[in-house]
Amino acid sequence: MRHTWRWFGLIDKVTVRDAAQAGAVGIVSALHHIRTGDAWPEAEIAKRHEEIKAGGLVWDVVESVPVSESIKTQTGDWRAHITNWQETLRRLSAAGIRTVCYNFMPVLDWTRTDLRWSTRHGAKAMRFDLIDFVAFDLHLLNRPGASHDYDEAIRDKAAERFARMSDEHRSALSKNIGAGLPGSADGYTLPQLLELLRTYSGISRERLQQNLIDFLSEVTPVAEKVGINICAHPDDPPWPLLGLPRILSTEADYLHMLNAVDSRANGVTFCTGSLGALASNDLPAMVRRLAPRIHFVHLRNVRREEQSSPCSFFEDEHLEGDTDMVAVIAELLAEERRRGQEGRSDHQIPMRPDHGQEILDDLQRGAQPGYPAIGRLKGLAELRGIERALSHPRYGLR
């Protein structure tokens, strides 16, 4: 696999040179300062390329070109936003980019209740606490109709938890859940979040699925023409939140999308952490069956605190947690070999170590939550070790 590293630009406290020292050969980045819905300016794309080259690496993957809420709901300027998305693909292709990640999660991107939860050995990790989340929904956001989404036992636990919460805890919970896209300075106040939720009134799961297919029907032919693979990131966590539907949480969800727009350019960002939070997802088997359309991989591990869905979970160390990372990597390497035998130009799959724990000097650095220097270095080293062992001509897979 091609080892890459997410970088949020010059504001990132982890530099491109840090990434190179950690063992990455490519960078995953985006232009977070460009307004969602606008086409990315050629000059800004070139500028980001130069910033990455100055650190000694190259820009391999764009993560993400945001899909606007207007596109997801097919309201307002959604057609103009699709046109701008298409133009952004053309400009990225002209600049040498061949992989573009995006997501179709309504309103909220990945959602956590705690961005720096203390693990058993003092590291800091991101965590989704189901009871805290329900307490937020019922007692802080006060979402209309929210009580119908939870059974009585969960509602009672949430009420008890909320009654014990300090004002500081309540404020942090609102901030964490209302945070915007990673790398963005945007976020939502409670009134703003409620207003955004109202825009999805009447949009069922089936309607959102169709809106995704409509979007892909427009942008995939452009991606094909300019030589870019576009790849959808799964829902995180992979179940409905705040009354909003989720449509990329399982293998069946992905097959629905891939079969509806049956082009190799329309593919998957396979995130083991997002998909691994759902106990019914068999990740090695999913990789095996989705393999030809997997264009980008996020390798991280989560530890589920219950086996039900939804559930509480936290971001565990890369080789811990509930996902068999060795089996996942074995399937990915098998796919790379198959692509190589076919002569595919995209035979090497870009991957990045995702959501490392904050350890050692990370604890004082104050980097973007989930993206510390040393925690990801440790994860990348472990993942590279698995890959090297499985690829060894004497000891590894044939």
Side-chain angles (χ1 to χ4, degrees):
M1 290 180 284
R2 184 166 175 84
H3 306 142
T4 65
W5 187 274
R6 193 168 192 184
W7 185 62
F8 295 101
L10 295 178
I11 64 168
D12 199 328
K13 295 184 178 180
V14 183
T15 68
V16 174
R17 288 195 181 278
D18 291 337
Q21 291 176 14
V25 296
I27 288 293
V28 176
S29 195
L31 304 183
H32 300 288
H33 58 289
I34 304 301
R35 187 175 64 177
T36 298
D38 288 353
W40 287 10
E42 294 171 340
E44 291 297 315
I45 295 170
K47 181 181 177 183
R48 179 54 52 89
H49 261 301
E50 291 306 313
E51 291 166 351
I52 293 169
K53 287 180 183 177
L57 297 182
V58 295
W59 193 1
D60 277 342
V61 179
V62 167
E63 184 184 351
S64 298
V65 178
V67 179
S68 70
E69 301 302 324
S70 294
I71 291 175
K72 294 170 191 172
T73 58
Q74 292 192 357
T75 57
D77 294 333
W78 70 281
R79 292 189 184 278
H81 289 183
I82 287 181
T83 298
N84 289 340
W85 221 89
Q86 293 169 322
E87 182 58 26
T88 296
L89 289 181
R90 295 185 187 99
R91 294 174 183 179
L92 288 172
S93 175
I97 297 294
R98 294 291 171 259
T99 307
V100 172
C101 173
Y102 69 95
N103 80 69
F104 217 79
M105 288 179 263
V107 180
L108 298 176
D109 194 82
W110 55 262
T111 302
R112 301 291 184 269
T113 56
D114 195 330
L115 302 183
R116 288 187 166 90
W117 177 73
S118 294
T119 69
R120 58 183 173 77
H121 50 49
K124 300 294 184 183
M126 296 200 294
R127 184 169 184 264
F128 180 87
D129 184 298
L130 178 60
I131 303 305
D132 270 10
F133 185 84
V134 177
F136 165 82
D137 195 7
L138 295 178
H139 302 291
L140 283 170
L141 186 61
N142 293 305
R143 176 172 62 90
S147 61
H148 300 301
D149 291 345
Y150 310 107
D151 62 35
E152 184 177 3
I154 295 256
R155 294 198 304 268
D156 288 347
K157 289 180 181 178
E160 181 182 354
R161 177 79 57 83
F162 183 74
R164 298 199 313 267
M165 278 185 192
S166 65
D167 289 342
E168 182 181 21
H169 187 174
R170 293 177 183 180
S171 177
L173 187 60
S174 294
K175 182 177 179 181
N176 292 344
I177 294 174
L181 286 166
S184 170
D186 297 334
Y188 305 126
T189 65
L190 296 183
Q192 287 172 335
L193 184 52
L194 280 172
E195 184 57 34
L196 275 169
L197 294 177
R198 289 189 192 102
T199 66
Y200 281 83
S201 177
I203 295 183
S204 64
R205 186 174 188 276
E206 292 72 25
R207 168 74 185 280
L208 191 62
Q209 281 182 314
Q210 187 57 51
N211 290 357
L212 170 60
I213 291 166
D214 291 345
F215 166 72
L216 289 172
S217 297
E218 296 288 340
V219 301
T220 302
V222 176
E224 261 185 344
K225 185 175 181 179
V226 301
I228 282 182
N229 287 328
I230 56 175
C231 39
H233 190 284
D235 303 322
D236 187 6
W239 48 73
L241 295 177
L242 304 180
L244 297 167
R246 300 289 232 186
I247 60 171
L248 289 173
S249 298
T250 66
E251 181 178 346
D253 290 343
Y254 270 108
L255 289 174
H256 182 271
M257 177 195 83
L258 297 174
N259 292 334
V261 183
D262 192 10
S263 164
R264 198 167 77 186
N266 171 36
V268 178
T269 296
F270 197 89
C271 178
T272 56
S274 301
L275 295 167
L278 190 63
S280 57
N281 282 337
D282 181 344
L283 268 58
M286 288 177 70
V287 173
R288 188 180 317 123
R289 291 189 285 262
L290 297 174
R293 304 279 281 275
I294 293 175
H295 298 322
F296 184 32
V297 179
H298 293 176
L299 295 180
R300 62 182 173 89
N301 224 323
V302 299
R303 174 77 62 180
R304 298 185 297 271
E305 297 174 27
E306 306 92 24
Q307 295 307 304
S308 56
S309 174
C311 67
S312 299
F313 63 88
F314 69 92
E315 308 273 4
D316 210 337
E317 297 171 71
H318 285 78
L319 301 191
E320 303 301 325
D322 291 304
T323 293
D324 184 344
M325 200 63 75
V326 175
V328 166
I329 292 175
E331 295 292 347
L332 291 167
L333 294 178
E335 172 60 14
E336 285 193 325
R337 285 194 298 277
R338 189 190 67 78
R339 292 185 188 187
Q341 291 165 0
E342 286 185 358
R344 281 178 57 168
S345 61
D346 61 348
H347 64 89
Q348 190 176 34
I349 302 172
M351 77 80 155
R352 66 174 179 85
D354 201 9
H355 293 194
Q357 294 185 351
E358 294 182 2
I359 58 175
L360 305 174
D361 291 355
D362 290 332
L363 297 169
Q364 286 75 47
R365 190 187 293 253
Q368 176 83 15
Y371 296 95
I374 301 172
R376 281 187 291 167
L377 179 153
K378 175 175 177 284
L380 180 56
E382 292 171 340
L383 298 168
R384 290 171 69 196
I386 292 173
E387 184 179 1
R388 183 65 62 88
L390 290 174
S391 302
H392 194 283
R394 177 178 295 178
Y395 307 111
L397 299 173
R398 300 295 190 272

